[in-house]
Amino acid sequence: MLAYYGYTISPNQIETGEGFLICRNVPIARTGSMDYLESELNPAGSSSKMVKVMRSPEEVFSEAALSSFEGKPVTNEHPPELLTPETYSLYAKGHAQNIRKGAGEWDGYLMADLHIQDEELIQAVQGGKREISCGYDCSCSDNGDGTYSQHDIRGNHVAVVTRGRAGKNVAILDSEKKIEANRPERKGNMKNSLFFKLFAKAVKDASPEELESMAADAADALGEEEPKKTEPAAPPVKEEVKDFSSLDAKLDKLMDLLSAKKEPEVDQDPLDGLIKSLTGEAEEPAPSAEAKVVPAEELDGCATKTADKAVMAEVIKQLRPVIAGIKDSADKKAVTDSLIACLSDGSAVSDIAKIAAATQKNAARLADKKPGIDLDACQSAYDAMNPHKNGGKK
């Protein structure tokens, strides 16, 4: 599905993070008759007589005509001639895409989405310059009744003009900018995203024993941030994680799968499906005529903003075999619950120092478990086998 990421400033206009303007659902041409000077149709002539020129739906919506406008430059008024690679940089202010036949109230119109990157034209559009006129090549035939018909329409550019030949309806929609683009602060995002990157890096080269210990330590560290309950204390009971957002629900499914006694009887590993959904590899819905808008102002403020999905998927990949190998079901559930809370609630991880403390705790535990290791003896044994330290002898 075609999607645009940006900040909505009016129903049909969005502003990207860089400040570029995307004008959606723009009627750029129409069928029917339009007035031309007869001299425009016959450059050799000099007649100033106005004639009707017909554009039939078969010509305007032919596959060749539609595809010829795809990706063509957007200009500020018409250039003095059709654009070529040699003159493109002089006049191009953006480009047109998603060229399509209009429907409903826009039946009979050629629709497009205009991407405008030029500051001067962006300001002109937001100041009220909205009408559209297409630059194209075509052939004309005399109908014998004083009118003409266009054939073989091939797009060259789409001009934003003060006044277009096709009328006021062939124009960028929305008469004025409704709201200012509001870009939320992203400092919190960066800190919490860093936590996941550090955690994924830490587990990448660790041994299975170290991974299991690190997972348990992370569970202990994260458990300190659990919110206090207002109800009287009750005996520990098995909790069921529910009422999560869409992402949390997926992670809830992960907990159930990891703690299940039997492997789910499915053709595909459900964890692979979860990882695909986090990395954007899930099956895409059928394409639609209108491009989807990804609202940056909403996504930047949602609960899932605390972690990059790709990093989350990497954490799950690294910890999946470790968690599955934990024999004690209570420990397995505790580690899984903490992992889910970590990935689903950014408030549970307010400081990167927690994971550093957990790592230090893990190192101390490993040292306590292996008090008999003589590091000097290990180094001496290695040196004895190193040909660079024993004169080339093994």
Side-chain angles (χ1 to χ4, degrees), residues 30-34 53-57 60 108:
R30 64 173 175 84
T31 59
S33 66
M34 269 155 282
V53 177
M54 309 299 297
R55 291 182 189 162
S56 69
V60 173

Side-chain angles (χ1 to χ4, degrees), residues 201-388:
K201 182 177 181 181
V203 303
K204 182 177 181 181
D205 300 319
S207 66
E209 294 79 8
E210 290 173 332
L211 283 172
E212 181 174 346
S213 181
M214 290 174 66
D217 291 338
D220 293 339
L222 293 172
E224 297 173 0
E225 288 296 318
E226 292 181 357
K228 295 182 180 180
K229 296 182 179 180
T230 56
E231 300 178 357
V237 294
K238 183 177 180 180
E239 295 183 354
E240 179 183 359
V241 181
K242 56 185 178 179
D243 294 331
F244 279 157
S245 63
S246 60
L247 177 59
D248 298 334
K250 295 177 182 178
L251 294 171
D252 184 35
K253 182 178 179 182
L254 168 62
M255 181 195 73
D256 294 335
L257 293 172
L258 290 175
S259 59
K261 295 183 179 179
K262 295 182 180 181
E263 291 293 331
E265 297 179 358
V266 293
D267 295 334
Q268 182 184 8
D269 185 348
L271 293 180
D272 291 338
L274 176 59
I275 293 172
K276 286 183 178 180
S277 68
L278 289 173
T279 56
E281 298 176 6
E283 183 178 355
E284 292 286 348
S288 61
E290 183 176 329
K292 175 184 176 182
V293 173
V294 181
E297 63 273 20
E298 294 181 12
L299 291 185
D300 288 347
C302 71
T304 59
K305 71 179 181 179
T306 58
D308 180 76
K309 289 185 178 182
V311 177
M312 293 164 62
E314 183 63 25
V315 171
I316 293 174
K317 290 178 183 178
Q318 296 288 347
L319 292 183
R320 176 171 56 181
V322 177
I323 296 176
I326 298 176
K327 296 180 180 180
D328 187 281
S329 59
D331 289 343
K332 179 186 293 185
K333 183 180 184 302
V335 172
T336 306
D337 287 345
S338 295
L339 175 61
I340 293 172
C342 174
L343 295 178
S344 61
D345 185 4
S347 63
V349 188
S350 60
D351 200 328
I352 301 301
K354 289 190 174 73
I355 197 61
T359 303
Q360 293 175 356
K361 181 179 177 181
N362 172 64
R365 177 183 298 179
L366 291 177
D368 292 338
K369 287 183 177 180
K370 301 176 182 179
I373 295 179
D374 187 341
L375 297 179
D376 292 336
C378 290
Q379 183 63 46
S380 297
Y382 170 78
D383 291 344
M385 299 177 64
N386 189 338
H388 296 286

Side-chain angles (χ1 to χ4, degrees), residues 28-32 55-67 69 99-103 106-111 153-154:
I28 63 171
R30 64 173 175 84
T31 59
R55 291 182 189 162
S56 69
E58 293 76 19
E59 294 292 339
V60 173
F61 302 128
S62 70
E63 183 178 11
L66 288 171
S67 59
F69 278 100
I99 310 299
R100 60 198 185 273
K101 179 181 179 181
W106 297 111
D107 184 39
Y109 287 83
L110 185 64
M111 310 295 291
I153 299 170
R154 301 295 181 263

Side-chain angles (χ1 to χ4, degrees), residues 13-94:
Q13 296 179 38
I14 61 178
E15 184 177 308
T16 71
E18 303 86 355
F20 299 148
L21 181 65
I22 302 177
C23 302
R24 303 168 54 243
N25 307 317
V26 180
I28 63 171
R30 64 173 175 84
T31 59
S33 66
M34 269 155 282
D35 293 331
Y36 281 78
L37 288 174
E38 192 169 28
S39 58
E40 293 182 87
L41 306 179
N42 182 14
S46 58
S47 173
S48 59
K49 177 184 176 182
M50 297 296 296
V51 295
K52 297 290 184 181
V53 177
M54 309 299 297
R55 291 182 189 162
S56 69
E58 293 76 19
E59 294 292 339
V60 173
F61 302 128
S62 70
E63 183 178 11
L66 288 171
S67 59
S68 72
F69 278 100
E70 191 69 44
K72 291 301 169 67
V74 171
T75 65
N76 191 354
E77 297 292 341
H78 283 292
E81 57 186 357
L82 295 181
L83 295 184
T84 65
E86 289 77 17
T87 59
Y88 167 84
S89 61
L90 297 176
Y91 303 105
K93 309 299 182 182

